[in-house]
Short mmCIF file of all heavy atoms in Angstrom, two decimals:
data_model
loop_
_atom_site.label_atom_id
_atom_site.label_comp_id
_atom_site.label_asym_id
_atom_site.label_seq_id
_atom_site.Cartn_x
_atom_site.Cartn_y
_atom_site.Cartn_z
N ALA A 65 -241.83 -32.84 -132.74
CA ALA A 65 -240.81 -33.33 -133.67
C ALA A 65 -240.66 -32.29 -134.76
O ALA A 65 -241.56 -31.47 -135.00
CB ALA A 65 -241.19 -34.67 -134.27
N ASN A 66 -239.52 -32.34 -135.45
CA ASN A 66 -239.27 -31.33 -136.49
C ASN A 66 -240.32 -31.35 -137.58
O ASN A 66 -240.65 -30.31 -138.15
CB ASN A 66 -237.87 -31.53 -137.09
CG ASN A 66 -237.66 -32.90 -137.72
OD1 ASN A 66 -238.51 -33.79 -137.65
ND2 ASN A 66 -236.49 -33.08 -138.33
N ASN A 67 -240.90 -32.52 -137.88
CA ASN A 67 -241.81 -32.64 -139.02
C ASN A 67 -243.28 -32.52 -138.65
O ASN A 67 -244.15 -32.71 -139.51
CB ASN A 67 -241.57 -33.97 -139.74
CG ASN A 67 -241.91 -35.18 -138.88
OD1 ASN A 67 -241.71 -35.16 -137.67
ND2 ASN A 67 -242.41 -36.23 -139.49
N TYR A 68 -243.60 -32.20 -137.40
CA TYR A 68 -245.01 -32.10 -137.03
C TYR A 68 -245.62 -30.84 -137.64
O TYR A 68 -245.01 -29.77 -137.65
CB TYR A 68 -245.18 -32.08 -135.51
CG TYR A 68 -244.90 -33.42 -134.84
CD1 TYR A 68 -244.91 -33.53 -133.45
CD2 TYR A 68 -244.64 -34.57 -135.57
CE1 TYR A 68 -244.66 -34.75 -132.83
CE2 TYR A 68 -244.38 -35.78 -134.95
CZ TYR A 68 -244.39 -35.86 -133.58
OH TYR A 68 -244.14 -37.06 -132.96
N LYS A 99 -237.65 -34.25 -132.04
CA LYS A 99 -237.03 -35.39 -132.70
C LYS A 99 -236.58 -34.99 -134.10
O LYS A 99 -237.04 -33.98 -134.65
CB LYS A 99 -238.04 -36.55 -132.83
CG LYS A 99 -238.86 -36.82 -131.60
CD LYS A 99 -239.90 -37.89 -131.84
CE LYS A 99 -240.96 -37.89 -130.76
NZ LYS A 99 -241.87 -36.72 -130.86
N ALA A 100 -235.70 -35.81 -134.67
CA ALA A 100 -235.27 -35.63 -136.04
C ALA A 100 -235.05 -36.99 -136.67
O ALA A 100 -234.57 -37.92 -136.00
CB ALA A 100 -234.00 -34.78 -136.11
N GLY A 101 -235.38 -37.10 -137.95
CA GLY A 101 -235.18 -38.37 -138.66
C GLY A 101 -236.04 -38.50 -139.90
O GLY A 101 -235.67 -39.19 -140.84
N TYR A 102 -237.19 -37.83 -139.90
CA TYR A 102 -238.06 -37.86 -141.08
C TYR A 102 -237.80 -36.63 -141.95
O TYR A 102 -237.22 -35.64 -141.52
CB TYR A 102 -239.53 -37.96 -140.67
CG TYR A 102 -239.90 -39.33 -140.18
CD1 TYR A 102 -239.90 -39.63 -138.81
CD2 TYR A 102 -240.25 -40.34 -141.07
CE1 TYR A 102 -240.23 -40.90 -138.35
CE2 TYR A 102 -240.58 -41.61 -140.62
CZ TYR A 102 -240.57 -41.89 -139.27
OH TYR A 102 -240.89 -43.14 -138.81
N GLU A 103 -238.27 -36.70 -143.19
CA GLU A 103 -237.92 -35.69 -144.19
C GLU A 103 -238.36 -34.29 -143.79
O GLU A 103 -239.50 -34.07 -143.39
CB GLU A 103 -238.54 -36.05 -145.54
CG GLU A 103 -238.13 -35.11 -146.65
CD GLU A 103 -238.66 -35.52 -148.00
OE1 GLU A 103 -239.45 -36.48 -148.06
OE2 GLU A 103 -238.29 -34.87 -149.00
N MET A 104 -237.42 -33.34 -143.91
CA MET A 104 -237.70 -31.95 -143.57
C MET A 104 -237.28 -30.97 -144.67
O MET A 104 -237.90 -29.94 -144.84
CB MET A 104 -236.99 -31.58 -142.27
CG MET A 104 -237.74 -31.94 -141.02
SD MET A 104 -239.33 -31.11 -140.88
CE MET A 104 -238.83 -29.42 -140.64
N TRP A 105 -236.21 -31.26 -145.41
CA TRP A 105 -235.77 -30.35 -146.47
C TRP A 105 -235.14 -31.18 -147.58
O TRP A 105 -234.79 -32.35 -147.37
CB TRP A 105 -234.81 -29.29 -145.92
CG TRP A 105 -233.51 -29.77 -145.36
CD1 TRP A 105 -232.35 -30.01 -146.05
CD2 TRP A 105 -233.22 -30.05 -143.99
NE1 TRP A 105 -231.36 -30.43 -145.20
CE2 TRP A 105 -231.86 -30.45 -143.93
CE3 TRP A 105 -233.95 -29.99 -142.80
CZ2 TRP A 105 -231.24 -30.81 -142.73
CZ3 TRP A 105 -233.32 -30.34 -141.62
CH2 TRP A 105 -232.00 -30.75 -141.58
N PHE A 109 -229.38 -34.67 -146.74
CA PHE A 109 -229.30 -34.41 -145.30
C PHE A 109 -230.61 -33.91 -144.70
O PHE A 109 -230.65 -33.49 -143.56
CB PHE A 109 -228.18 -33.41 -145.01
CG PHE A 109 -226.83 -33.89 -145.48
CD1 PHE A 109 -226.17 -33.25 -146.50
CD2 PHE A 109 -226.24 -35.00 -144.89
CE1 PHE A 109 -224.94 -33.70 -146.94
CE2 PHE A 109 -225.00 -35.46 -145.32
CZ PHE A 109 -224.35 -34.81 -146.35
N GLY A 110 -231.67 -33.97 -145.50
CA GLY A 110 -232.97 -33.50 -145.02
C GLY A 110 -233.74 -34.52 -144.22
O GLY A 110 -234.86 -34.24 -143.76
N GLU A 111 -233.19 -35.71 -144.02
CA GLU A 111 -233.86 -36.75 -143.24
C GLU A 111 -232.82 -37.77 -142.76
O GLU A 111 -231.62 -37.61 -142.97
CB GLU A 111 -234.94 -37.45 -144.07
CG GLU A 111 -234.45 -38.14 -145.31
CD GLU A 111 -235.56 -38.85 -146.07
OE1 GLU A 111 -236.50 -39.36 -145.43
OE2 GLU A 111 -235.49 -38.89 -147.31
N TRP A 112 -233.30 -38.80 -142.10
CA TRP A 112 -232.49 -39.90 -141.58
C TRP A 112 -231.60 -39.50 -140.41
O TRP A 112 -231.96 -38.58 -139.69
CB TRP A 112 -231.71 -40.59 -142.70
CG TRP A 112 -232.61 -41.27 -143.69
CD1 TRP A 112 -232.84 -40.87 -144.99
CD2 TRP A 112 -233.44 -42.42 -143.47
NE1 TRP A 112 -233.75 -41.72 -145.59
CE2 TRP A 112 -234.13 -42.68 -144.69
CE3 TRP A 112 -233.65 -43.26 -142.39
CZ2 TRP A 112 -235.02 -43.73 -144.84
CZ3 TRP A 112 -234.54 -44.32 -142.53
CH2 TRP A 112 -235.21 -44.55 -143.74
N GLY A 113 -230.45 -40.19 -140.23
CA GLY A 113 -229.76 -40.08 -138.96
C GLY A 113 -228.30 -39.73 -139.04
O GLY A 113 -227.53 -40.10 -138.13
N SER A 117 -227.40 -34.15 -140.41
CA SER A 117 -228.86 -33.99 -140.43
C SER A 117 -229.42 -33.75 -139.04
O SER A 117 -230.22 -32.83 -138.83
CB SER A 117 -229.50 -35.24 -141.04
OG SER A 117 -230.90 -35.15 -141.01
N LEU A 118 -229.02 -34.56 -138.06
CA LEU A 118 -229.60 -34.45 -136.72
C LEU A 118 -229.26 -33.12 -136.07
O LEU A 118 -230.14 -32.47 -135.48
CB LEU A 118 -229.12 -35.60 -135.84
CG LEU A 118 -229.61 -37.01 -136.20
CD1 LEU A 118 -229.09 -38.02 -135.19
CD2 LEU A 118 -231.12 -37.08 -136.28
N SER A 121 -230.97 -30.21 -137.80
CA SER A 121 -232.40 -30.21 -137.49
C SER A 121 -232.66 -29.69 -136.09
O SER A 121 -233.62 -28.93 -135.87
CB SER A 121 -232.97 -31.62 -137.63
OG SER A 121 -234.35 -31.64 -137.34
N HIS A 140 -235.52 -40.05 -134.32
CA HIS A 140 -236.93 -40.38 -134.57
C HIS A 140 -237.11 -41.76 -135.20
O HIS A 140 -238.17 -42.38 -135.07
CB HIS A 140 -237.54 -39.31 -135.48
CG HIS A 140 -239.00 -39.13 -135.32
ND1 HIS A 140 -239.69 -38.08 -135.86
CD2 HIS A 140 -239.94 -39.87 -134.68
CE1 HIS A 140 -240.97 -38.17 -135.57
NE2 HIS A 140 -241.15 -39.25 -134.85
N ARG A 141 -236.08 -42.22 -135.93
CA ARG A 141 -236.15 -43.57 -136.50
C ARG A 141 -234.73 -44.04 -136.81
O ARG A 141 -233.83 -43.25 -137.05
CB ARG A 141 -237.00 -43.59 -137.78
CG ARG A 141 -236.51 -42.68 -138.89
CD ARG A 141 -237.29 -42.91 -140.16
NE ARG A 141 -236.99 -41.89 -141.17
CZ ARG A 141 -237.39 -41.98 -142.45
NH1 ARG A 141 -238.08 -43.03 -142.84
NH2 ARG A 141 -237.11 -41.02 -143.31
N TYR A 142 -234.57 -45.35 -136.81
CA TYR A 142 -233.28 -45.95 -137.11
C TYR A 142 -232.93 -45.73 -138.58
O TYR A 142 -233.78 -45.88 -139.46
CB TYR A 142 -233.32 -47.44 -136.79
CG TYR A 142 -232.09 -48.18 -137.24
CD1 TYR A 142 -230.87 -47.97 -136.60
CD2 TYR A 142 -232.15 -49.08 -138.30
CE1 TYR A 142 -229.73 -48.65 -137.02
CE2 TYR A 142 -231.01 -49.76 -138.72
CZ TYR A 142 -229.82 -49.53 -138.08
OH TYR A 142 -228.70 -50.19 -138.49
N SER A 170 -236.60 -43.56 -130.94
CA SER A 170 -238.00 -43.85 -131.23
C SER A 170 -238.09 -44.91 -132.32
O SER A 170 -237.38 -44.83 -133.33
CB SER A 170 -238.73 -42.58 -131.66
OG SER A 170 -240.09 -42.84 -131.96
N SER A 171 -238.96 -45.89 -132.12
CA SER A 171 -239.25 -46.93 -133.12
C SER A 171 -238.01 -47.75 -133.49
O SER A 171 -237.89 -48.22 -134.62
CB SER A 171 -239.88 -46.32 -134.37
OG SER A 171 -241.13 -45.73 -134.08
N PHE A 223 -246.40 -43.93 -127.85
CA PHE A 223 -247.16 -43.03 -128.70
C PHE A 223 -248.25 -43.79 -129.43
O PHE A 223 -248.20 -45.01 -129.57
CB PHE A 223 -246.24 -42.25 -129.67
CG PHE A 223 -245.78 -42.98 -130.90
CD1 PHE A 223 -246.57 -43.03 -132.04
CD2 PHE A 223 -244.52 -43.56 -130.95
CE1 PHE A 223 -246.13 -43.67 -133.19
CE2 PHE A 223 -244.06 -44.19 -132.09
CZ PHE A 223 -244.88 -44.26 -133.23
N ILE A 336 -248.03 -48.67 -138.68
CA ILE A 336 -247.48 -48.10 -139.90
C ILE A 336 -246.01 -47.70 -139.74
O ILE A 336 -245.36 -47.28 -140.70
CB ILE A 336 -248.31 -46.87 -140.37
CG1 ILE A 336 -248.27 -45.76 -139.31
CG2 ILE A 336 -249.73 -47.28 -140.68
CD1 ILE A 336 -248.98 -44.48 -139.75
N TRP A 337 -245.48 -47.86 -138.52
CA TRP A 337 -244.08 -47.55 -138.25
C TRP A 337 -243.22 -48.83 -138.14
O TRP A 337 -242.07 -48.77 -137.74
CB TRP A 337 -243.96 -46.76 -136.94
CG TRP A 337 -244.85 -45.56 -136.95
CD1 TRP A 337 -244.56 -44.31 -137.46
CD2 TRP A 337 -246.18 -45.47 -136.42
NE1 TRP A 337 -245.62 -43.46 -137.29
CE2 TRP A 337 -246.64 -44.14 -136.65
CE3 TRP A 337 -247.03 -46.38 -135.79
CZ2 TRP A 337 -247.90 -43.71 -136.26
CZ3 TRP A 337 -248.31 -45.95 -135.42
CH2 TRP A 337 -248.73 -44.64 -135.65
N SER A 340 -239.43 -49.29 -139.45
CA SER A 340 -238.30 -48.74 -138.72
C SER A 340 -237.78 -49.68 -137.65
O SER A 340 -236.58 -49.75 -137.40
CB SER A 340 -238.70 -47.41 -138.07
OG SER A 340 -237.64 -46.86 -137.32
#
Side-chain angles (χ1 to χ4, degrees):
N66 59 355
N67 65 325
Y68 289 175
K99 316 175 196 73
Y102 286 95
E103 185 176 6
M104 275 299 292
W105 63 86
F109 300 114
E111 61 178 326
W112 295 109
S117 177
L118 292 183
S121 180
H140 207 168
R141 59 172 170 170
Y142 172 69
S170 179
S171 297
F223 80 84
I336 62 176
W337 307 274
S340 179

